[in-house]
Amino acid sequence: MAAPYDEAAWSEEAARRVWGGAVPLQVHLHDADVTALPPPPPFPTLGPRIGYLPLLIPVIKAHFSNTLPPGVDTVWFEYKGLPLKWYVPIGVLFDLLCADPERPWNLIVHFRGYPSEILSPCEGEDSVKWTYMNSLKEATFIITGNSKSVMNMSQADQIALWESVMKVNLDGYKNVSTRLKLGPFEEDGLVQTPSVERQQSSDEPESPGSGKPCRVPVRLYVRSVQEDLEDIEDAIPLSDWESVSYINRPFEIRKVEGRSYITLEHALQTLLPEFFSSKPAIRADDSQHVEALDSPPDDSDITNSSRSSQEVEQASVSLREADIAKKAKVKLVRVQGIELDMDIPFLWVANNLKNPEYYLHISVYVGKRKQ
Amino acid sequence: MGGSPVLDGTLSLDGFNASAMALVKRWKEIEVSDPLPDWTWKPCCKMGVPSEVEGYLALEGVYRSCGESQIEERGNFDDADIVGDDTWVQSSSDNVHVYDFHVVYSFSYKVPVLYFQGHHAGGQLLTLDEVKERLPSHSLKVLSESKWAFITQEEHPHLSRPWFTLHPCGTRDWMKLLLEETEVADKEQSLQYLPAWLSVVGQAAGLKIPLDLHCSS
């Protein structure tokens, strides 16, 4: 007899896998930074999916210390010529940049020549902590309508939270994060929010009964690949960040007509209308067809209405065709290294595959016609 | 759809777009005393396709000469000394910085956010210290005294490059207060949002906004 579906147990398992996920890395020292021959061997290490590259610097630096040039180090990472954004979680970088997952992932580490026109400055752990806390505040604002639950955290809690992320300690993290009361997301748009602060603040509460829909923090990374791409491994590597569309936009939870749950597809349709929804032009034609059939009600009413419904149906068919044509553009959707089906419940994904700052990071590969 | 400036100091996307268009229009109408360029609307591009709905405001090529005050101080000298001194003018070309200001909509906070960057005359980007050095004293005062105003360097949401930005977290609260104080009709409040907002953030970023911008045409 099959075990009944235990949501809590599955969520627990999902969290362990997300936090336990790591990308095997092979870190090579940039040629120009090598001062002693023979050049040092590359350094194998694990990059936690929910972690950040600058947090690996101390251990990488220790490995290469004998061969580094004297002077001030400004460390940055590169993959196939692309400087890596240090504020993007390692797992997301891997999912986005390695169309065909490369194991181990070969990266080049630089200790000089920081590309400050491309990357914002990084002062090690402090910068990463600031980025993490800032993202957490933004996510909190999105979920509850204000950042109070983070701002009101005690110093000790803030430190404990950051330490748990840095050390990839899920239990330590849960200790503090549950007190933030940021979820889980529900299909009816309700989310637990701290009630105490409500009375004290003049802010409009985004809680049950207030009428405002709950929002899910989402960060989309849309990468274009060749339209006729059959095998994802044939995708041309990214050479610059301009080829990636970064969309930092919350998803508003609203009940969908005729659906018992919000699908991933529906969420992506809402956030990336350019790749999913029909062009406005088609909609205008649609309504024109219906209007043109407006005639005085009489016996031919039935004929009229069946004719008008036919026209609408035809318009809908062409809408659907356009939809399919557009849908074909989305080649791949990846979250935490998993290729997701479009039918999967979006809120399950948001609740269980999000990062520790409460953001859901989604990599989307889109087929683009060469112009 | 979302955000009501009257109630809570936020702005919907539609409200932002409308207010931006109104600002572009009004800016052209008023007499701008400084040689300030015009605000333009830049549509966001996704995969090379310009969006019909999303975009941001840009004010680019704002020249800030730091040699100006020096000229004023030398008012005692003969005009001939200054006019004839070509080498002085040339050597002070490094004191000319060029700034770009962008106003981008934040979906997370439902408010506008100011992004800016500066270049040396030769094209090299200014560092945060260099930018702060050249800020007028009242801007520095605003930055140091106000808890909501602080400049950070972050990736521009649409340009994939690091720009300076004034953090948006307090915007909703102070905009709510600011709009409460104004006696603009409710319908007008949405359109007046950006000029009002700009007059405040402009102070922190050293951007002088003409008072005429706030008066209705």
Side-chain angles (χ1 to χ4, degrees):
Chain A
M1 206 158 76
Y5 179 74
D6 184 344
E7 180 131 16
W10 274 103
S11 283
E12 176 108 13
E13 177 66 19
R16 297 224 167 263
R17 289 191 191 210
V18 167
W19 279 66
V23 181
L25 305 172
Q26 185 107 266
V27 184
H28 305 252
L29 182 60
H30 176 57
D31 289 340
D33 293 348
V34 176
T35 57
L37 289 172
F43 177 58
T45 188
L46 281 175
R49 277 195 156 270
I50 55 149
Y52 301 86
L53 287 170
L55 299 179
L56 301 175
I57 291 172
V59 71
I60 292 170
K61 201 162 169 176
H63 175 83
F64 290 120
S65 58
N66 295 340
T67 50
L68 289 176
V72 181
D73 298 324
T74 49
V75 188
W76 56 285
F77 296 85
E78 172 217 322
Y79 175 61
K80 293 196 170 160
L82 184 72
L84 299 184
K85 295 186 179 180
W86 55 266
Y87 39 87
V88 177
I90 294 173
V92 180
L93 287 171
F94 186 60
D95 289 344
L96 178 67
L97 301 177
C98 275
D100 183 29
E102 190 184 295
R103 288 190 174 93
W105 192 22
N106 287 287
L107 300 181
I108 296 175
V109 65
H110 294 251
F111 284 82
R112 296 286 183 280
Y114 197 86
S116 38
E117 302 234 338
I118 302 172
L119 299 180
S120 52
C122 179
E123 255 110 74
E125 189 200 312
D126 281 342
S127 300
V128 186
K129 180 182 176 182
W130 196 92
T131 297
Y132 171 79
M133 292 305 298
N134 199 36
S135 296
L136 179 64
K137 281 183 204 162
E138 190 176 339
T140 304
F141 192 101
I142 289 168
I143 297 168
T144 67
N146 61 65
S147 304
K148 285 187 200 300
S149 47
V150 175
M151 305 298 265
N152 291 344
M153 276 175 81
S154 68
Q155 219 22 355
D157 273 356
Q158 284 193 31
I159 293 170
L161 187 71
W162 171 242
E163 292 277 312
S164 72
V165 173
M166 231 192 357
K167 296 181 178 151
V168 197
N169 173 5
L170 177 57
D171 291 326
Y173 174 79
K174 289 205 292 201
N175 258 343
V176 186
S177 67
T178 40
R179 274 178 267 153
L180 293 173
K181 293 190 165 49
L182 297 174
F185 303 112
E186 307 278 1
E187 296 284 344
D188 51 10
L190 303 180
V191 73
Q192 276 186 300
T193 52
S195 52
V196 178
E197 289 80 16
R198 294 274 160 268
Q199 282 95 49
Q200 293 162 358
S201 78
S202 55
D203 296 329
E204 284 231 353
E206 291 209 18
S207 55
S210 70
K212 275 193 189 168
C214 176
R215 306 190 296 162
V216 178
V218 180
R219 284 183 172 161
L220 288 159
Y221 308 80
V222 184
R223 170 182 169 176
S224 67
V225 293
Q226 310 93 289
E227 199 187 23
D228 52 1
L229 196 68
E230 289 280 333
D231 290 320
I232 208 73
E233 65 209 33
D234 296 332
I236 298 163
L238 275 176
S239 54
D240 57 65
W241 287 105
E242 278 73 17
S243 317
V244 176
S245 283
Y246 168 64
I247 293 141
N248 180 25
R249 183 170 176 171
F251 173 77
E252 287 195 10
I253 301 175
R254 284 177 206 272
K255 264 289 190 195
V256 183
E257 280 280 325
R259 286 273 197 171
S260 54
Y261 62 84
I262 299 164
T263 59
L264 173 64
E265 179 175 42
H266 173 80
L268 291 178
Q269 273 173 357
T270 312
L271 295 170
L272 296 173
E274 300 89 337
F275 303 112
F276 286 89
S277 62
S278 346
K279 288 199 182 118
I282 296 174
R283 281 223 181 88
D285 287 342
D286 193 14
S287 59
Q288 273 164 24
H289 278 131
V290 176
E291 277 167 338
L293 296 162
D294 215 3
S295 50
D298 56 21
D299 291 334
S300 57
D301 222 12
I302 298 165
T303 345
N304 276 347
S305 57
S306 66
R307 218 183 28 196
S308 71
S309 69
Q310 255 180 32
E311 297 275 33
V312 173
E313 220 188 278
Q314 270 172 12
S316 308
V317 167
S318 61
L319 272 176
R320 281 200 295 274
E321 279 171 352
D323 275 353
I324 289 164
K326 290 227 179 234
K327 272 182 215 171
K329 277 179 135 187
V330 175
K331 299 273 182 188
L332 182 65
V333 179
R334 252 187 212 146
V335 177
Q336 301 294 4
I338 307 164
E339 204 177 309
L340 296 178
D341 280 339
M342 289 302 204
D343 286 335
I344 195 170
F346 176 68
L347 294 184
W348 186 94
V349 177
N351 283 327
N352 294 294
L353 301 184
K354 66 179 182 295
N355 274 49
E357 77 286 11
Y358 284 82
Y359 258 98
L360 178 64
H361 300 259
I362 307 176
S363 296
V364 184
Y365 285 67
V366 162
K368 189 187 174 194
R369 199 168 298 142
K370 268 209 145 122
Q371 280 157 355
Chain B
M1 177 208 163
S4 165
V6 179
L7 290 178
D8 63 6
T10 61
L11 197 61
S12 68
L13 179 65
D14 290 342
F16 173 80
N17 291 348
S19 192
M21 296 311 168
L23 188 146
V24 169
K25 186 164 168 276
R26 181 77 189 127
W27 187 268
K28 288 196 174 106
E29 288 169 6
I30 62 182
E31 282 262 319
V32 183
S33 54
D34 283 345
L36 282 175
D38 282 341
W39 285 93
T40 55
W41 176 258
K42 296 205 172 190
C44 294
C45 261
K46 279 179 204 157
M47 302 285 116
V49 179
S51 170
E52 285 164 38
V53 179
E54 277 183 64
Y56 57 94
L57 280 171
L59 185 73
E60 293 180 346
V62 178
Y63 281 74
R64 199 171 283 162
S65 170
C66 310
E68 266 172 14
S69 54
Q70 289 173 277
I71 294 170
E72 279 152 24
E73 280 166 8
R74 289 165 64 127
N76 319 343
F77 292 108
D78 278 356
D79 286 339
D81 285 341
I82 296 169
V83 169
D85 199 344
D86 288 327
T87 52
W88 187 88
V89 171
Q90 277 170 357
S91 65
S92 70
S93 67
D94 187 51
N95 283 334
V96 174
H97 292 161
V98 187
Y99 288 81
D100 298 328
F101 296 90
H102 288 181
V103 179
V104 182
Y105 182 70
S106 163
F107 284 100
S108 304
Y109 291 102
K110 293 189 188 165
V111 294
V113 186
L114 185 73
Y115 286 85
F116 61 98
Q117 65 176 12
H119 296 92
H120 286 281
Q124 204 192 5
L125 279 175
L126 293 173
T127 64
L128 182 55
D129 287 333
E130 285 172 325
V131 168
K132 278 186 164 166
E133 261 169 44
R134 316 294 187 151
L135 283 176
S137 52
H138 71 264
S139 293
L140 293 167
K141 196 165 180 285
V142 166
L143 287 170
S144 62
E145 289 178 6
S146 174
K147 66 172 181 181
W148 57 263
F150 55 98
I151 299 176
T152 58
Q153 197 165 16
E154 285 188 19
E155 187 181 310
H156 189 297
H158 304 297
L159 298 181
S160 265
R161 297 272 158 142
W163 278 56
F164 298 119
T165 182
L166 275 172
H167 203 275
C169 57
T171 304
R172 182 184 66 173
D173 294 333
W174 57 259
M175 274 308 293
K176 187 178 169 188
L177 290 173
L178 187 64
L179 291 171
E180 273 171 2
E181 281 171 30
T182 64
E183 287 169 357
V184 182
D186 287 0
K187 203 181 64 151
E188 277 291 302
Q189 284 221 4
S190 197
L191 288 179
Q192 285 304 311
Y193 190 106
L194 281 178
W197 170 86
L198 198 54
S199 66
V200 178
V201 298
Q203 282 180 52
L207 178 63
K208 278 184 273 183
I209 302 295
L211 286 173
D212 282 345
L213 188 65
H214 312 297
C215 310
S216 40
S217 37

